[in-house]
Amino acid sequence: MTIAVTAVSGQLGAAIARVLVARGETVIGLARTPEKVTDLKIEIRPGDYANLAQLEVSLAGVDRLLLVSGNGDPAARIDQHRTVIEAARAAGVQRIVYTSVQGAETGTAFSPVVDSNRQTEADIRNSGMDWVIGRNGIYIEPDIEYIDSYRKAGEIANCAGKGRCGYTTRGELAVAYAHMLTEPQHVGQIYNLHGTPITQAELAEYMNQAFGTDMVFRPMSVEDYRANRVAELGDFIGTVIAGIYEGIRKGAVDNPSQFEQAAGRPHIGWQTYFESLKA
């Protein structure tokens, strides 16, 4: 069995490829710019989501495909994913596994991204191939990477309010997707993939324990948080991030998790995870 993983120049795609290799699978990595992938000991082929002919060649001989969701404009993303699906079908791929997202499907600035993922899910279900869909929780790593800024401010401030967030890590997702690609019982399943949901106040306390800080959570209005993020990150990214936290506020990522069903073991507990971050 040969498994192709797209977007291996990114962190999630690379993590999934590494877990598959460690499990003894034959893995081919796809990347829009193959020369940028230098740290994976696998064959790398071109994988531009907008290039049908190129993808058909790159997917030759592939039995199963892990499609990592693109990160472009939501409308363009739908067409790009359809190109990958069409190429996979033409190349004879038997199973396609897709990394989708959780989030509010209406009413937030992140909703167009969620909606584009739901459309790709529908396209995959109607593709004629076997399929499995994972709906990822929110990555916790960006919060960890932001610790210096949090420490300087003495707080975590956003518009999530008291909403609980189903966080996950790329490493945990990689384990789940490796199982979803290789085991028969997952075909036709849609899994929410995250750990125990926590509030922002709980996140601040876990980070205090891990990093020796004394941070608090300060709730902000959606409008103020959007203005804050846009000022730092620009209009598009800042607005989308504000939409993610508005979705947390609305309970859109406080969902039942099927991580254990997908991965064959429970998601790592947050106490254990944050203990592992201590110096």
Side-chain angles (χ1 to χ4, degrees):
M1 179 173 61
T2 299
I3 301 172
V5 178
T6 72
V8 292
S9 58
Q11 295 183 73
L12 180 59
I16 295 168
R18 288 189 183 99
V19 170
L20 287 166
V21 169
R23 288 165 56 96
E25 303 294 343
T26 300
V27 182
I28 293 170
L30 271 59
R32 185 172 59 181
T33 311
E35 57 269 22
K36 289 185 178 180
V37 184
T38 59
D39 58 345
L40 296 176
K41 295 181 171 62
I42 59 174
E43 180 184 353
I44 306 296
R45 298 178 182 176
D48 185 338
Y49 287 9
N51 191 326
L52 177 62
Q54 178 194 85
L55 287 166
E56 288 182 1
V57 173
S58 292
L59 291 173
V62 169
D63 301 297
R64 298 181 184 181
L65 172 65
L66 188 288
L67 171 57
V68 176
S69 176
N71 58 7
D73 174 83
R77 190 183 308 191
I78 292 171
D79 288 336
Q80 290 170 356
H81 292 164
R82 284 174 173 164
T83 299
V84 179
I85 294 165
E86 183 179 348
R89 184 169 50 228
V93 170
Q94 298 163 9
R95 182 189 303 188
I96 184 168
V97 180
Y98 179 56
T99 71
S100 190
V101 296
Q102 299 176 47
E105 297 180 6
T106 59
T108 78
F110 188 56
S111 296
V113 175
V114 178
D115 289 343
S116 73
N117 277 270
R118 296 293 175 269
Q119 181 58 60
T120 294
E121 291 179 17
D123 291 340
I124 286 172
R125 292 196 304 270
N126 294 326
S127 69
M129 293 177 282
D130 287 344
W131 57 268
V132 194
I133 292 166
R135 291 179 176 173
N136 297 348
I138 305 298
Y139 296 158
I140 206 164
E141 290 94 338
D143 282 288
I144 307 308
E145 294 161 3
Y146 210 66
I147 181 59
D148 288 341
S149 295
Y150 287 150
R151 181 185 282 115
K152 183 177 180 180
E155 63 182 16
I156 295 174
N158 58 53
C159 64
K162 296 181 179 179
R164 297 198 310 163
C165 179
Y167 284 107
T168 188
T169 75
R170 295 184 184 93
E172 289 293 271
L173 290 173
V175 171
Y177 281 111
H179 283 265
M180 293 156 65
L181 281 159
T182 58
E183 296 170 351
Q185 70 269 25
H186 304 298
V187 172
Q189 299 298 314
I190 300 176
Y191 297 130
N192 290 332
L193 301 174
H194 60 268
T196 301
I198 59 175
T199 65
Q200 296 299 292
E202 290 172 317
L203 173 63
E205 183 53 37
Y206 277 126
M207 294 187 75
N208 287 338
Q209 294 173 21
F211 299 108
T213 50
D214 190 24
M215 299 183 298
V216 297
F217 169 61
R218 177 171 64 87
M220 302 175 68
S221 69
V222 174
E223 295 75 17
D224 287 347
Y225 186 59
R226 181 184 296 118
N228 174 279
R229 293 295 82 202
V230 167
E232 180 173 335
L233 302 170
D235 186 66
F236 177 73
I237 296 297
T239 299
V240 166
I241 289 177
I244 291 172
Y245 282 90
E246 185 179 6
I248 297 172
R249 184 191 194 102
K250 292 181 174 183
V253 286
D254 183 9
N255 301 310
S257 176
Q258 292 85 41
F259 182 90
E260 185 169 1
Q261 184 180 351
R265 64 158 174 81
H267 193 284
I268 190 171
W270 296 123
Q271 188 68 45
T272 299
Y273 174 76
F274 280 95
E275 285 284 343
S276 73
L277 300 179
K278 289 183 178 179

